Amino acid sequence: SWPMVSGSSFGVMARYVDSRNFYYLSIEPQSRIALRRFVNGAAFELARAQLPRAAGVPNRLRLEALGPALRAYVDGKLILEVRDRTHTKGQYGLATFRTAAEFHNFDVTRP
């Protein structure tokens, strides 16, 4: 399993404007996945799901941000889908919160 403590998460960011404004797809304790929007430092949960997952098995995360559509995939399977127009542009990256994580093969493709 991933090295996580209570209140910890890791994942990918999209449309990162600054440290207070971005979208964040996170893997959290108890195998939850969540998509949040941060606006001026305040977090708003857009969607959440439970992940079926075997302990110790790495997963492939993908966060698509195309127009207002935000789609989260785990191992090629669509898990979360929302529409939000808050952030329309920005950078992409990796993130951790109160945990350590190992990332491999981070790719960004812009249509």
Side-chain angles (χ1 to χ4, degrees), residues 79-95:
I79 302 292
L80 302 172
E81 184 172 15
V82 299
R83 296 181 73 75
D84 190 271
R85 296 181 186 275
T86 304
H87 303 302
T88 59
K89 61 183 176 177
Q91 301 297 312
Y92 299 81
L94 304 171

Side-chain angles (χ1 to χ4, degrees), residues 53-70:
R53 185 183 112 207
V57 177
N59 294 106
R60 291 183 165 272
L61 298 180
R62 185 170 96 209
L63 176 56
E64 288 183 356
L66 300 169
L70 299 166

Side-chain angles (χ1 to χ4, degrees), residues 2 4 8-12 24-27 61 95-97 99 101 103:
W2 290 304
M4 301 180 75
S8 65
S9 66
F10 66 91
V12 295
Y24 179 40
L25 174 65
S26 63
I27 301 291
L61 298 180
T96 62
F97 180 72
T99 193
F103 297 95

Side-chain angles (χ1 to χ4, degrees), residues 7-60:
S8 65
S9 66
F10 66 91
V12 295
M13 296 182 297
R15 297 183 179 162
Y16 177 92
V17 177
D18 57 36
S19 64
R20 299 172 49 85
N21 296 283
F22 55 92
Y23 293 109
Y24 179 40
L25 174 65
S26 63
I27 301 291
E28 302 172 346
Q30 289 81 44
S31 297
R32 291 185 307 241
I33 186 169
L35 181 58
R36 291 185 176 83
R37 170 186 67 216
F38 284 76
V39 177
N40 297 322
F44 301 91
E45 187 171 284
L46 300 172
R48 171 183 292 273
Q50 195 67 30
L51 286 177
R53 185 183 112 207
V57 177
N59 294 106
R60 291 183 165 272

Side-chain angles (χ1 to χ4, degrees), residues 69-80:
L70 299 166
R71 294 181 190 96
Y73 297 82
V74 177
D75 297 327
K77 181 180 176 187
L78 180 63
I79 302 292
L80 302 172

